[in-house]
Amino acid sequence: MAIRLGLGLPQLRQYDLAKDVTDVARTAEQIGYDSLWVYERLLVPESPSQGLYGIPGLPWPDHYRGMAHSLVTLTLAAAVTERTRLGTGIVVAPLHGPAQLAKALATLDAASGGRVIAGLGPGWSTDEFAAAGVRPFEERGRTLDEVIDVCRAVWGPDPVSYDGRITKIDAAVVGPKPVRPIPILVAAAGRKALTRVVDHGDGWIPVAMGAQAYADGWQRLQDIAAERGRTQPIERVPRVNALYSAKAHDGADRQPYQGNAEQIVEDLAALAEVGMDEVLLDLQTTPRDAGELKDVAAEVYEKARAAGL
């Protein structure tokens, strides 16, 4: 069976949100992509209190500036597509009120006919946590656990009741309900986070891992699942952040966006040897506009399917 291929939607500032999100979403579905994805950056601090991913001295990339809201972007795509699944890869769950996030995802699932995938992560930016003002950065892991629990409660039958550290729901009607149980994929790398996948998630969404790191992580995840007695399958949807190298463009002689499609497909093949159910390809960073993004998306899809992926 071919691996499901997903495409990241245009959220960055070089794109025209009024037309490019819907244009790329329609085109991706026509090409054959199985899913469309978004991710989240709340802000870019002028004087960061920490480096990128919390790594000291690592600068934040400029393309994070002006990133469109994840769920608004996904809603635009839902309105113009019929088949593709709609995923968050990822939303930083602790930046949101748990009940509000659960309701937003349920509403989107109901409106799209049951196509939502909830990819959730704990986050890493202290500046974003300070701005969101939901919970302290130090509590992000426990907050993510509660968000997942609240989602399952809110998506379940009425009356909904929940008594947690953050969220208190006395017996209440909370609708609309999702069309089907929304799968929850959890971003994770270390043992504690991988344990969260086993205990709380339907699947794993590793971010920007090479083939060996992915293989090692999958083995650790299987070991933890065996230790904790989990027998339910764990869906695997790695996120691949692929940067393209463009050829020169000269006015009317502009060429289709070209570069490393072969290398991307080789990388996907290496991940596929480990095993995966779906892959999220984020190709939006380097293209100058939606036309180039659609070109590269079509090229990568064609080469991936030709390679048997």
Side-chain angles (χ1 to χ4, degrees):
M1 179 182 296
I3 294 167
R4 297 191 300 268
L5 297 178
L7 180 69
L9 288 167
Q11 296 175 261
L12 307 181
R13 62 180 180 175
Q14 70 263 41
Y15 299 105
D16 182 346
L17 297 175
K19 62 180 182 180
D20 289 349
V21 175
T22 52
D23 182 25
V24 171
R26 287 192 194 97
T27 301
E29 187 168 69
Q30 292 166 359
I31 290 170
Y33 278 93
D34 299 286
S35 53
L36 299 167
W37 297 79
V38 292
Y39 72 112
E40 182 167 46
R41 274 280 67 78
L42 177 60
L43 50 75
V44 175
E46 289 297 312
S47 299
S49 59
Q50 61 184 160
L52 183 69
Y53 309 132
I55 300 172
L58 187 63
W60 291 49
D62 190 62
H63 65 256
Y64 278 171
R65 294 177 179 269
M67 180 181 292
H69 190 285
S70 54
L71 294 186
V72 174
T73 303
L74 207 58
T75 300
L76 290 170
V80 297
T81 56
E82 298 179 353
R83 174 186 56 79
T84 48
R85 302 206 300 171
L86 306 162
T88 61
I90 59 171
V91 157
V92 182
L95 299 182
H96 302 262
Q100 290 93 333
L101 180 59
K103 186 178 178 76
L105 290 167
T107 301
L108 182 56
D109 191 72
S112 66
R115 294 189 280 146
V116 169
I117 314 159
L120 306 177
W124 53 264
S125 168
T126 55
D127 293 294
E128 289 186 331
F129 272 76
V134 178
R135 299 301 295 174
F137 177 77
E138 294 75 17
E139 297 180 11
R140 63 195 183 279
R142 289 189 296 168
T143 302
L144 174 55
D145 290 341
E146 182 156 325
V147 169
I148 294 172
D149 289 344
V150 170
C151 282
R152 300 218 189 270
V154 166
W155 299 340
D158 292 323
V160 174
S161 297
Y162 187 84
D163 185 12
R165 292 187 313 110
I166 308 166
T167 309
K168 310 289 183 182
I169 305 175
D170 292 330
V173 174
V174 187
K177 300 297 184 184
V179 173
R180 88 292 188 233
I182 298 174
I184 295 177
L185 310 181
V186 182
R191 180 178 174 85
K192 188 173 183 178
L194 290 170
T195 301
R196 179 176 295 114
V197 176
V198 171
D199 290 348
H200 298 284
D202 299 299
W204 178 40
I205 183 166
V207 178
M209 286 187 181
Q212 187 58 56
Y214 175 60
D216 293 343
W218 174 235
Q219 185 59 59
R220 290 195 299 272
L221 192 57
Q222 289 179 292
D223 292 343
I224 294 168
E227 291 171 10
R228 302 179 78 84
R230 173 165 176 158
T231 57
Q232 180 186 0
I234 297 173
E235 188 173 9
R236 291 170 285 173
V237 185
R239 177 189 176 93
V240 176
N241 301 327
L243 296 179
Y244 245 59
S245 300
K247 288 184 177 179
H249 299 286
D250 294 314
D253 296 328
R254 171 175 155 180
Q255 298 295 314
Y257 202 58
Q258 308 264 349
N260 297 325
E262 293 83 0
Q263 184 60 56
I264 291 172
V265 172
E266 288 179 14
D267 292 344
L268 294 183
L271 295 174
E273 289 183 6
V274 180
M276 58 184 176
D277 300 285
E278 188 163 357
V279 63
L280 158 55
L281 292 167
D282 189 358
L283 307 173
Q284 67 173 306
T285 303
T286 306
R288 297 184 304 176
D289 54 32
E292 291 186 351
L293 177 57
K294 290 187 294 183
D295 286 344
V296 66
E299 183 181 9
V300 170
Y301 184 90
E302 180 182 354
K303 291 183 181 298
R305 291 310 189 206
L309 297 174

